[in-house]
């Protein structure tokens, strides 16, 4: 029998970026907030001896335990989905701070085109440009409406950056200057300028100088140690929820985090939610936490799973195309090219997660698509994140995979390769979706989330186009040999690609085609807010975290309005 606890104003499910932002904003306004975190507490002290590539980068010390909670996967509905037994294509975070602890810190904004993609595309190219089967739609919010919230998130992080000449307008400059440059970044800038493009430094949550944010939290200057992605920062120099926002919530006196608390149900009476049920994973005790407002602030997969298990909203049915919960799951593609240099060497063993330079000349509709059989595009970048020795053995493609020549080339090219990469936008397709697996269950007897996903014709055409552009840049930079990335075939969940999963509980202006409104308030339960990249109507061609943070600040404002006036916010 579950024990019912005293009611609070707000309960958040998950304490990462979104849960931390909501807590910081709502607790300072006097609301009593409880954060339920199924993992353990963490701090920068946990990473004092953390430069262990095997432990963190390859054995995933900071990631989700797939023996207790995972997903099942298939490429299409004809296949039987099987459990993901170990992390591969994407790395799900766990414990305080979630995936916000082990990110690289690349903090781009989406473009105005992203938020009005359907309207802008059809206005310029006509309705036939968007192919049948793709659920391309506007987000129910414009860039200009979201811009103040971007500004809030970037100030909370102290983002280091410079003006992007092709991006949407900013209300303020970045809080801190861009990071240092390197010879490889300079070569990219020179080459892209010669090609007529407009390079700029990647907006970085690895800070160029010490900074104190709006909450009074101190964030330190980056040491360029090259241990960002898959690692926590022991210097406190990479903005993450644990140092940027969660301490502010704690200082309010109105915030409590309960660790080892695994939520199993959002309690729904048909019109509102009344709280959540969770298990203390250490004692096995079950509790009900009543709340005036419930905010799902977990990762994409769990946000969607909670809605499906609790039967809140109409589930997507791929046979009919009806329903919204689980629809519009998106990922990203990774066009690119690697240049091998015979005469030059680069200190690529050093770096930082967001040390890099980008161009947006092939992002969104910044280039003409009239004669192209796809829409959108992606950022093109060079990054110097630090090549750690176990996982990085770059060799030309004709090198044997073992033996004397492999060893020789591994050593030779370790500092003689530069990769020009891209993140291609991902559009929602009718056959890519999330639902509950009918067979497999988690450690608590609940159905696993099932992912049905494959690359689309849109993905394959965009990959081919952008890869060609990256190869041209590599050649312009003077590479002795350039090797383009291969064309796309079927998506595989095994090799790592990117932890940029989106959709499943998307936002919009119409409850018939979205799960939440522009404040991330659920259409079917006015006191439920579903906050995170699960709200993305499609995935843009850059890292999603800045947009996740911006939406969290907007959701916090929405919760404040709801607590004051009640009802639907739009």
């Amino acid at each position: 029998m579950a024990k019912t606890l005293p009611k609070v104003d707000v309960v958040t499910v998950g304490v990462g970026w979104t849960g931390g932002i909501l807590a910081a904003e709502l607790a300072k306004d006097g609301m009593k907030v409880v954060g339920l975190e199924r993992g353990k507490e963490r701090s920068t002290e946990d990473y004092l001896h953390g430069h262990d590539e095997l432990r963190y980068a390859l054995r995933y010390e900071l990631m989700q335990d797939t023996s207790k909670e995972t997903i099942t996967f298939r490429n299409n509905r004809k296949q039987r989905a099987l459990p993901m037994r170990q992390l591969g294509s994407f790395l799900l975070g766990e414990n305080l701070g979630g995936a916000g602890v082990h990110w690289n810190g690349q903090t781009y904004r989406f473009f105005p085109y992203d938020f009005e993609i359907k309207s802008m595309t059809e206005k310029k190219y006509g309705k036939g440009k968007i192919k049948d089967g793709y659920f391309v739609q506007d987000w129910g919010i414009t860039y200009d409406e979201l811009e103040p919230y971007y500004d809030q998130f970037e100030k909370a992080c102290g983002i280091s950056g410079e003006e992007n000449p092709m991006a949407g307008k900013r209300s303020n400059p970045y809080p801190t200057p861009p990071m240092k440059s390197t010879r490889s970044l300079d070569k990219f800038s020179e080459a892209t300028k010669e090609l007529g493009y407009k390079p700029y430094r990647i907006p970085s949550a690895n800070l160029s100088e010490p900074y104190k944010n709006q909450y009074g939290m101190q964030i330190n200057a980056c040491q360029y140690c090259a241990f960002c992605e898959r690692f926590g920062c022991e210097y406190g120099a990479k903005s993450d929820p644990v140092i940027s926002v969660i301490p502010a919530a704690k200082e309010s006196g109105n915030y409590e985090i309960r660790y080892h608390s695994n939520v199993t149900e959002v309690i729904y009476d048909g019109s509102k939610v009344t709280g959540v049920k969770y298990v203390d994973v250490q004692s096995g005790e079950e509790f009900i936490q009543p709340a005036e407002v419930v905010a799902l602030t977990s990762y994409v997969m769990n946000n969607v799973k909670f809605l499906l298990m609790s039967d809140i909203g109409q589930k997507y049915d791929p046979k009919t195309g009806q329903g919204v919960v689980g629809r519009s799951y998106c990922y990203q593609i990774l066009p690119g090219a690697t240049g091998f240099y015979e005469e030059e060497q680069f200190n690529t063993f050093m770096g930082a997660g967001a040390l890099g330079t980008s161009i947006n000349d092939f992002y969104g509709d910044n280039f003409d698509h009239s004669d192209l059989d796809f829409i959108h595009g992606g950022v093109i970048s060079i990054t110097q994140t630090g090549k750690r020795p176990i996982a990085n053995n770059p060799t030309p493609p004709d090198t044997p995979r073992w033996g004397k020549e492999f060893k020789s080339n591994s050593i030779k090219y370790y500092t003689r390769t530069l990769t020009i990469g891209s993140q291609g936008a991902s559009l929602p397709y009718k056959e890519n979706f999330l639902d509950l697996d009918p067979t497999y269950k988690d450690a608590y007897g609940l159905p696993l989330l099932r992912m049905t996903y494959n690359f689309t014709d849109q993905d394959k055409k965009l990959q081919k186009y952008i890869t060609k552009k990256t190869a041209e840049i590599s050649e312009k930079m003077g590479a002795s040999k350039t090797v383009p990335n291969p064309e796309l075939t079927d998506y595989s969940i095994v090799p790592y690609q990117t932890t940029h999963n989106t959709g499943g509980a998307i936002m919009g202006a119409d409850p018939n085609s979205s799960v939440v409104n522009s404040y991330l308030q659920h259409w079917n339960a006015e006191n439920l807010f579903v906050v995170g990249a699960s709200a993305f109507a499609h995935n843009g061609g850059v890292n999603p975290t800045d947009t996740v943070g911006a939406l969290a600040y907007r959701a916090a404002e929405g919760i404040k309005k709801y607590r004051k006036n009640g009802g639907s916010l739009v």
Side-chain angles (χ1 to χ4, degrees):
M1 183 73 177
K3 179 181 178 180
T4 300
L5 302 171
K7 194 174 192 178
V8 296
D9 293 310
V10 180
V11 61
T12 70
V13 181
V15 187
W17 268 126
T18 55
I21 288 169
L22 262 60
E25 288 294 299
L26 302 177
K28 76 177 183 180
D29 264 27
M31 295 187 206
K32 297 294 183 181
V33 183
V34 167
L36 299 176
E37 169 57 50
R38 71 179 176 190
K40 62 186 179 181
E41 188 172 11
R42 289 194 294 208
S43 72
T44 53
E45 294 180 1
D46 295 324
Y47 314 123
L48 289 176
H49 305 287
H51 290 192
D52 185 334
E53 182 183 3
L54 184 64
R55 178 182 178 186
Y56 289 99
L58 301 175
R59 293 181 175 168
Y60 306 142
E61 175 81 9
L62 301 181
M63 315 307 176
Q64 181 173 303
D65 183 351
T66 55
S67 70
K68 296 179 180 177
E69 176 75 31
T70 187
I71 66 166
T72 65
F73 165 74
R74 59 185 182 176
N75 284 123
N76 59 66
R77 287 188 281 142
K78 294 180 180 179
Q79 296 176 343
R80 178 185 177 185
L82 296 174
M84 182 174 68
R85 299 293 186 183
Q86 63 183 33
L87 296 172
S89 175
F90 43 85
L91 303 177
L92 306 174
E94 195 163 81
N95 304 314
L96 186 66
V101 167
H102 66 75
W103 71 316
N104 257 335
Q106 298 177 23
T107 318
Y108 302 90
R109 295 182 177 191
F110 279 16
F111 275 48
Y113 175 77
D114 283 303
F115 302 102
E116 301 175 87
I117 182 171
K118 187 173 190 293
S119 299
M120 290 185 175
T121 300
E122 291 182 347
K123 181 178 180 180
K124 184 172 181 179
Y125 302 106
K127 292 188 175 182
K129 189 66 174 177
I130 299 172
K131 306 300 182 185
D132 290 342
Y134 291 90
F135 294 128
V136 176
Q137 63 188 64
D138 296 347
W139 288 40
I141 194 171
T142 66
Y143 172 87
D144 289 342
E145 290 170 330
L146 195 59
E147 198 282 333
Y149 308 102
Y150 273 127
D151 188 58
Q152 280 183 276
F153 181 65
E154 289 161 6
K155 286 176 178 173
C157 296
I159 299 302
S160 298
E162 65 182 5
E163 183 180 359
N164 174 358
M166 304 190 78
K169 293 181 180 179
R170 301 180 58 87
S171 55
N172 290 294
Y174 284 105
T176 54
M179 302 186 79
K180 295 178 180 180
S181 192
T182 66
R183 195 154 62 89
S184 61
L185 272 56
D186 291 342
K187 285 178 72 70
F188 178 87
S189 293
E190 292 164 7
T192 52
K193 285 178 181 177
E194 289 180 18
L195 291 167
Y197 306 145
K198 301 177 179 64
Y200 66 97
R201 301 301 306 285
I202 292 177
S204 172
N206 327 121
L207 300 199
S208 61
E209 62 186 29
Y211 173 79
K212 187 172 286 188
N213 71 12
Q214 66 264 48
Y215 303 110
M217 301 299 116
Q218 179 69 38
I219 307 168
N220 297 319
C222 181
Q223 307 296 303
Y224 298 89
C225 73
F227 286 82
C228 288
E229 184 182 20
R230 308 187 186 190
F231 297 83
C233 181
E234 72 270 34
Y235 302 110
K238 177 175 69 173
S239 296
D240 70 33
V242 179
I243 66 170
S244 302
V245 291
I246 293 171
K250 289 180 176 179
E251 288 179 2
S252 72
N254 293 318
Y255 184 47
E256 177 191 356
I257 303 175
R258 295 184 196 143
Y259 299 102
H260 309 291
S261 299
N262 190 79
V263 174
T264 57
E265 181 186 355
V266 180
I267 303 169
Y268 179 52
D269 67 10
S271 60
K272 287 186 176 183
V273 293
T274 59
V276 299
K277 184 182 289 185
Y278 71 94
V279 176
D280 182 316
V281 299
Q282 293 183 315
S283 69
E285 289 183 272
E286 194 171 42
F287 298 92
I288 291 174
Q289 178 59 68
E292 295 290 345
V293 171
V294 174
L296 300 182
T297 53
S298 184
Y299 196 67
V300 169
M301 314 300 180
N302 285 327
N303 279 358
V304 177
K305 181 178 177 179
F306 289 135
L307 296 177
L308 291 169
M309 288 194 309
S310 305
D311 202 21
I312 307 174
Q314 186 180 0
K315 299 173 185 177
Y316 174 64
D317 182 350
K319 296 178 182 178
T320 64
Q322 300 300 306
V324 288
V325 181
R327 200 191 82 171
S328 298
Y329 171 75
C330 293
Y331 195 43
Q332 277 180 337
I333 57 170
L334 299 175
T338 297
F340 294 87
Y341 292 77
E342 297 295 334
E343 306 298 329
E344 292 183 81
Q345 287 186 279
F346 308 91
N347 61 340
T348 47
F349 50 86
M350 299 179 67
L355 179 61
T357 301
S358 296
I359 61 170
N360 285 124
D361 298 77
F362 298 99
Y363 187 97
D365 201 41
N366 289 339
F367 59 110
D368 187 49
H369 289 71
S370 297
D371 297 325
L372 300 174
D373 200 20
F374 62 85
I375 63 172
H376 215 311
V379 67
I380 295 176
S381 308
I382 186 169
T383 58
Q384 189 166 327
T385 60
K387 290 184 176 179
R388 295 181 290 271
I390 300 176
N392 289 278
N393 287 282
T395 57
D398 56 352
T399 302
R401 302 315 300 161
W402 60 280
K404 182 178 180 179
E405 186 179 350
F406 170 73
K407 293 178 182 178
S408 175
N409 280 351
S410 292
I411 295 169
K412 175 181 178 180
Y413 290 106
Y414 180 63
T415 56
R416 294 175 184 268
T417 59
L418 297 177
T419 296
I420 312 304
S422 176
Q423 300 175 61
S426 176
L427 303 184
Y429 184 63
K430 64 181 182 180
E431 293 295 337
N432 291 336
F433 61 95
L434 305 172
D435 65 356
L436 296 177
D437 193 282
T439 304
Y440 294 99
K441 300 183 186 301
D442 65 17
Y444 305 97
L446 302 172
L448 295 184
L449 189 75
R450 179 171 63 180
M451 175 192 295
T452 304
Y453 181 77
N454 209 350
F455 292 128
T456 65
D457 288 342
Q458 152 82 22
D459 293 326
K460 294 172 182 177
K461 291 168 183 175
L462 179 58
Q463 169 95 358
K464 186 175 182 179
Y465 182 88
I466 298 292
T467 292
K468 181 179 178 181
K469 300 299 180 184
T470 63
E472 290 171 357
I473 294 170
S474 177
E475 290 165 359
K476 190 70 174 179
M477 289 171 63
S480 305
K481 181 176 183 178
T482 293
V483 179
N485 287 1
E487 294 186 14
L488 291 179
T489 53
D490 288 332
Y491 167 71
S492 170
I493 206 166
V494 176
Y496 182 75
Q497 290 154 71
T498 179
T499 309
H500 299 165
N501 316 78
T502 69
I506 68 170
M507 61 190 295
D510 182 353
N512 292 314
S513 59
S514 58
V515 175
V516 295
N517 64 28
S518 66
Y519 285 96
L520 308 194
Q521 179 188 36
H522 201 291
W523 289 111
N524 297 95
E526 64 181 39
N527 63 334
L528 174 63
F529 290 75
V530 188
V531 188
S534 54
F536 288 18
H538 71 272
N539 201 1
V542 291
N543 302 63
T545 306
D546 206 2
T547 303
V548 170
L551 290 173
Y553 275 101
R554 181 168 171 88
E557 182 180 295
I559 292 171
K560 293 175 188 179
K561 290 182 176 181
Y562 176 77
R563 292 290 288 128
K564 184 177 181 180
N565 302 314
S568 177
L569 298 172
V570 298

